[in-house]
Amino acid sequence: MTAGAFVTRFAPSPTGPLHLGHAYSAILAHDMARAAGGHFLLRMEDTDLERCKPVHEAAIADDLTWLGLAWDGPIHHQRPKIPQYNQRLEGLAAKGLLYPCSCTRTDIRAALSAPQEGVAHTVYPGTCRGRTMGSRLPGDALRLDLDAALGQLAPTGLQFTETGPAHAGTHHINPEQAKRLIGDVVLSRKGEDIVAYFLASAFDDADQGITHVIRGDDLFDFTPIQVILQQLFALPTPTYHHHRLIRDDHGKRLAKRDDARALSKYRAEGASPADIRRLVNL
Ligand code: GLU
């Protein structure tokens, strides 16, 4: 890649139809790449063997093509890389940075003495911390031992640059803040030998040479988790751009199950790609 290159991606999970929120994200990433003379890549985050379906993937590719968003190169798939992600998990385990966890959501809620404020996800109270990998049972998840991980990183903590409107600037997160905001996140899901999104996505951004991650604001709070993984594996940290979310009439963020906002619905009703751009204010 040449210096100053701009490489971004649209990374949907093919678990359902694209809605207006996805269209906004894909159009924005595409347009920013084209404006910078860079590359726009398409990645299917298809590690969930049950929910990700070829039929959804085909529909996503068809919707993007209809929108006039041509991606560069072949579609990148995560599923064939599952053995590689697991190898990387083993690398973390070998460094003593993972432990098995059998806690259910109810266990976690019960272990928390008070509701947590100002955090995007429940910060794990550490019940299973201290368990060895040798004690892993078939149904266990694997968690990152954040304290041990931070101990292997520079004491200055984490840093990343954000260009999205809501959080523009350079973000510094010191180890204490990381522990309060992130905690011991799950890197391999319970009952499945499948890495969680954080790890697969962090690795693929590096593997695909992504310089700019453009995605919804709902993922902003997870960025430090990916920055930790990048630092642990000496991967580059891209510039992040988290964009506003497209909401329904009640102000709720759109989800894949919101079929009413599916692009296919608008297409069936005769909308044009220009109408979609207008609907999302682009
Ligand atoms: N696959 C994620 C989603 O569909 C997006 C991940 C990302 O852009 O980093 O929400």
Side-chain angles (χ1 to χ4, degrees):
M1 202 197 330
T2 51
F6 187 111
V7 184
T8 190
R9 76 320 190 260
F10 177 56
S13 305
T15 55
L18 290 190
H19 56 59
L20 278 184
H22 297 109
Y24 176 67
S25 199
I27 296 171
L28 190 68
H30 168 271
D31 289 3
M32 284 173 73
R34 294 292 172 248
H39 296 287
F40 170 69
L41 310 183
L42 178 58
R43 174 164 88 222
M44 292 293 166
E45 301 209 319
D46 56 355
T47 53
D48 187 327
L49 305 181
E50 251 174 47
R51 292 171 60 228
C52 297
K53 302 253 156 49
V55 57
H56 298 312
E57 178 177 328
I60 289 172
D62 186 59
D63 278 343
L64 293 176
T65 304
W66 175 79
L67 281 169
L69 310 180
W71 55 91
D72 298 304
I75 300 178
H76 180 103
H77 289 92
Q78 292 191 321
R79 196 168 292 191
K81 297 178 74 181
I82 289 175
Q84 288 180 44
Y85 305 134
N86 281 327
Q87 242 173 23
R88 281 151 161 172
L89 272 178
E90 280 167 27
L92 288 178
K95 289 184 183 171
L97 302 184
L98 296 184
Y99 62 85
C101 172
S102 53
C103 294
T104 60
R105 278 173 209 270
T106 317
D107 295 336
I108 294 173
R109 263 198 306 272
L112 292 171
S113 47
Q116 297 175 336
E117 281 171 28
V119 294
H121 63 282
T122 305
V123 173
Y124 182 61
T127 319
C128 288
R129 195 183 301 134
R131 276 183 61 190
T132 60
M133 284 298 286
S135 72
R136 188 181 188 190
L137 299 170
D140 285 348
L142 292 180
R143 287 187 182 273
L144 179 71
D145 183 333
L146 183 68
D147 203 20
L150 289 168
Q152 300 203 355
L153 302 179
T156 41
L158 314 167
Q159 184 178 315
F160 64 95
T161 302
E162 166 72 30
T163 60
H167 315 273
T170 304
H171 292 259
H172 300 274
I173 294 151
N174 67 35
E176 284 317 308
Q177 288 169 312
K179 277 184 246 172
R180 190 170 53 79
L181 297 173
I182 303 171
D184 293 354
V185 288
V186 168
L187 292 186
S188 176
R189 284 196 299 267
K190 213 169 171 151
E192 302 160 55
D193 258 348
I194 293 181
V195 286
Y197 149 74
F198 303 128
L199 189 97
S201 181
F203 277 113
D204 283 354
D205 284 337
D207 287 353
Q208 292 189 281
I210 301 300
T211 61
H212 291 74
V213 169
I214 299 162
R215 61 186 182 187
D217 217 14
D218 51 329
L219 295 171
F220 175 77
D221 288 316
F222 296 135
T223 306
I225 301 170
Q226 292 177 323
V227 177
I228 290 184
L229 294 170
Q230 289 153 4
Q231 293 198 0
L232 285 172
F233 285 93
L235 304 171
T237 294
T239 297
Y240 287 88
H241 183 102
H242 291 88
H243 59 70
R244 67 183 163 88
L245 301 177
I246 305 293
R247 300 184 181 274
D248 66 14
D249 300 337
H250 308 286
K252 227 178 95 237
R253 174 163 72 87
L254 299 182
K256 285 229 175 64
R257 57 190 172 277
D258 293 330
D259 280 357
R261 306 288 164 142
L263 275 187
S264 51
K265 275 254 163 84
Y266 290 96
R267 288 177 65 176
E269 286 164 7
S272 69
D275 293 331
I276 302 296
R277 280 182 179 259
R278 263 194 301 277
L279 275 169
V280 296
N281 286 323
L282 273 174

